[in-house]
Amino acid sequence: MNDKRAQAYRRLVARLSPKSDMAQGIFRAYWVGGVICALGQTINDLFAYGLKWGAQSASTATSICLIFASSLLTGLGVYDKIGKYAGAGSIVPITGFANSVVSPAMEFRREGLVMGVGASMVQAVSQVLLIRSLGAERRGLAVGLNSSVVAFSNGISPTLGSIIAGSVGWRFIFWLNVPVGIIALILGARFLKKEKGVDAKNDLPGTVTFVVFLVAILLFFNADSLGAEGLVRMALLVAGVVSLVIFVIWERRCDSPLIQLNFFKNPAFTSVTVVLLLQYSVSYALSTCLPFYLADVLAVPTQISGLVCMSFPIMMAIFATTFGSLSDRIGSFPLILGGLAIELVALIIISTYRTETSLPLVVGSQLLFGFGSAMLSSPCFNVMMGAVPAEYSGVASGLLATMRSLGTAVGTSVFGLVIAQRSLFYQQTQPHEGVVFSLAQRDMVWGLFVALVVAVAMTLLTRRLTRKRRALAREAKENG
């Protein structure tokens, strides 16, 4: 009986399955597979003969390019369409392998993708909603409140997460967000007003090239932790630079660009963007280095180490709102310069960390650096949000979140690279591991010091240019 059912089922499948044109399938597979192979050979020849890289290096670089292109097209859903058209012609070893690896990840990406997109949406609009709720005249207070909440969350989340994971399991961390999200959704639907945004089309090419740039640069700065070296790292840098150039060219010609490049003609906007990137890079490098110093050099217990590491976010949570509100009354640039000056003093103290450094000095210097960060962060946000038209405030807020992400990647990469390289240098003369780490940390801190000096110079120059522009505007108004 079962055999008859199976035979009937096979006949039904054969009858309902679409008939394939073998000749057409062979032709499509032949020419698409040939184009992919020809493209690979062209890239290989470019590296081997154009750049004189040698056969082995050229082959490795070609594989990297093909895997990157195939993975990108798979993520965008383009490679699936190629596969449906060409059939076996798309299963060329390298590109087919990349597609087979990325496809399952795309299939099971839902949790991380949804959470990542949701978090990005909240980051991009949270400051905008606060500014529009409090009014443009209290923009500094709004961004300060947002900074305080973010800093408090960043400070308490590791401790709270470890407590929850240790008591009821790590899965409960995700379940805990469900009622929080429902409450936020209800409150948002109740109190947030519907607003009309800018009437513009989605800039898909700009979005794709910008995402490629960000991914390539983030991977480049984290290449060491991923085990990528040499040509792989160079290929990531080249991909990032090329995609950025394409992005800028496209954005200048696009009617509805993803980022209005005209914003960067404003010296205040450009300067504050760079200052924030440097500030995030410095702070994340320090925050990454501190736990290792406390544990490996000072042998501080884990519980106390966790409290010390909360020094920076605590100061941000306490003072960011105050300095944001103060920037509305006295202006932002004095506070930015004051915050950078305090951070420079804190870095000088941090550079003196050694194996015999007392814990109170460590805590005091970290609190001082956090105080300086709170003094400059909210005023920087205030300048950046105020430098763009109100209808584009969401773009500026999203760019702030991007600077934070880039700063995280740059800071952690600087920590890993400098500490590793300088540790190898000092190991030749210093037998004690604690001394080696503290000396390598000192070198890293002085590099961070130079980065903040650049930020100070940019702020002073921008302040001078801003004053000149205001003076010219007043003179034109008086004469006009």
Side-chain angles (χ1 to χ4, degrees):
M1 187 69 179
N2 291 334
D3 291 340
K4 291 182 178 180
R5 287 183 177 178
Q7 292 175 5
Y9 176 75
R10 284 195 291 268
R11 287 195 298 269
L12 179 63
V13 171
R15 182 167 58 86
L16 296 178
S17 297
K19 306 300 180 184
S20 59
D21 189 336
M22 183 175 295
Q24 184 185 66
I26 293 174
F27 174 74
R28 289 180 175 180
Y30 179 81
W31 85 261
V32 172
V35 167
I36 295 175
C37 292
L39 177 62
Q41 186 61 47
T42 302
I43 296 174
N44 184 81
D45 291 344
L46 176 64
F47 285 121
Y49 302 111
L51 300 180
K52 308 295 184 183
W53 278 15
Q56 185 174 358
S57 298
S59 178
T60 303
T62 302
S63 299
I64 293 170
C65 293
L66 291 176
I67 290 173
F68 176 80
S70 179
S71 301
L72 177 62
L73 293 176
T74 300
L76 297 175
V78 176
Y79 205 92
D80 292 338
K81 296 179 180 179
I82 297 175
K84 290 179 181 179
Y85 174 83
S90 62
I91 316 178
V92 178
I94 294 179
T95 55
F97 165 76
N99 173 255
S100 65
V101 171
V102 175
S103 293
M106 296 296 295
E107 184 67 22
F108 294 100
R109 73 192 186 281
R110 296 180 181 86
E111 293 181 6
L113 179 61
V114 172
M115 291 186 66
V117 171
S120 299
M121 292 171 67
V122 172
Q123 287 183 3
V125 303
S126 57
Q127 294 192 95
V128 180
L129 293 175
L130 281 171
I131 291 172
R132 293 182 181 178
S133 298
L134 296 177
E137 67 279 0
R138 292 192 291 177
R139 183 175 54 244
L141 174 61
V143 297
L145 281 170
N146 185 74
S147 298
S148 294
V149 172
V150 171
F152 176 78
S153 301
N154 290 338
I156 198 174
S157 57
T159 304
L160 183 61
S162 62
I163 293 174
I164 294 175
S167 56
V168 295
W170 62 268
R171 290 180 177 83
F172 189 76
I173 297 175
F174 297 95
W175 284 110
L176 184 63
N177 283 279
V178 175
V180 174
I182 292 174
I183 294 173
L185 187 62
I186 294 173
L187 293 176
R190 172 66 178 83
F191 295 105
L192 294 180
K193 298 179 181 179
K194 185 177 180 180
E195 299 180 3
K196 181 177 176 59
V198 180
D199 187 14
K201 298 179 180 179
N202 291 326
D203 181 15
L204 182 59
T207 303
V208 171
T209 52
F210 191 65
V211 168
V212 172
F213 160 69
L214 289 178
V215 171
I217 293 300
L218 290 174
L219 291 176
F220 169 77
F221 281 116
N222 290 278
D224 291 332
S225 60
L226 298 174
E229 299 178 356
L231 290 177
V232 177
R233 190 164 193 164
M234 181 60 65
L236 290 171
L237 179 60
V238 172
V241 172
V242 171
S243 56
L244 178 61
V245 171
I246 295 174
F247 172 76
V248 172
I249 294 174
W250 171 261
E251 294 297 284
R252 294 181 64 180
R253 299 179 179 181
C254 182
D255 295 331
S256 302
L258 177 68
I259 297 177
Q260 294 284 344
L261 298 182
N262 290 332
F263 294 164
F264 292 95
K265 293 181 179 180
N266 186 330
F269 184 88
T270 303
S271 173
V272 166
T273 302
V274 176
V275 169
L276 282 174
L277 178 59
L278 294 173
Q279 154 66 16
Y280 283 131
S281 301
V282 170
S283 61
Y284 278 106
L286 290 177
S287 61
T288 306
C289 186
L290 182 60
F292 292 95
Y293 173 73
L294 294 173
D296 299 338
V297 180
L298 298 186
V300 176
T302 305
Q303 295 84 351
I304 298 178
S305 177
L307 293 176
V308 175
C309 291
M310 290 180 64
S311 303
F312 177 83
I314 284 175
M315 297 301 285
M316 285 288 294
I318 294 174
F319 292 104
T321 302
T322 301
F323 287 118
S325 178
L326 189 61
S327 68
D328 290 328
R329 298 195 294 271
I330 68 172
S332 296
F333 281 108
L335 295 174
I336 295 173
L337 289 170
L340 288 171
I342 292 174
E343 286 190 339
L344 288 172
V345 173
L347 286 179
I348 293 175
I349 299 174
I350 294 172
S351 69
T352 64
Y353 285 1
R354 296 294 184 273
T355 55
E356 68 279 2
T357 302
S358 64
L359 191 59
L361 179 63
V362 174
V363 174
S365 59
Q366 294 295 322
L367 289 173
L368 183 63
F369 187 86
F371 182 79
S373 298
M375 181 180 287
L376 75 91
S377 295
S378 296
C380 280
F381 298 161
N382 194 0
V383 171
M384 197 169 183
M385 298 297 290
V388 302
E391 61 269 22
Y392 291 104
S393 55
V395 176
S397 182
L399 193 58
L400 282 174
T402 301
M403 291 301 104
R404 185 181 296 113
S405 299
L406 282 176
T408 304
V410 173
T412 53
S413 178
V414 165
F415 159 74
L417 182 62
V418 175
I419 294 296
Q421 295 296 327
R422 300 307 294 170
S423 294
L424 290 175
F425 174 78
Y426 288 115
Q427 282 173 357
Q428 301 174 10
T429 57
Q430 299 290 339
H432 193 276
E433 292 184 0
V435 175
V436 170
F437 186 90
S438 61
L439 291 175
Q441 179 182 243
R442 179 199 62 186
D443 294 350
M444 182 196 73
V445 170
W446 281 114
L448 302 179
F449 184 91
V450 173
L452 289 188
V453 170
V454 173
V456 171
M458 289 196 65
T459 305
L460 290 172
L461 178 61
T462 302
R463 191 180 186 188
R464 182 177 180 182
L465 293 175
T466 302
R467 285 179 174 177
K468 281 187 175 182
R469 292 180 64 178
R470 289 176 180 174
L472 291 174
R474 284 196 301 267
E475 184 179 349
K477 186 176 180 180
E478 292 173 358
N479 297 333

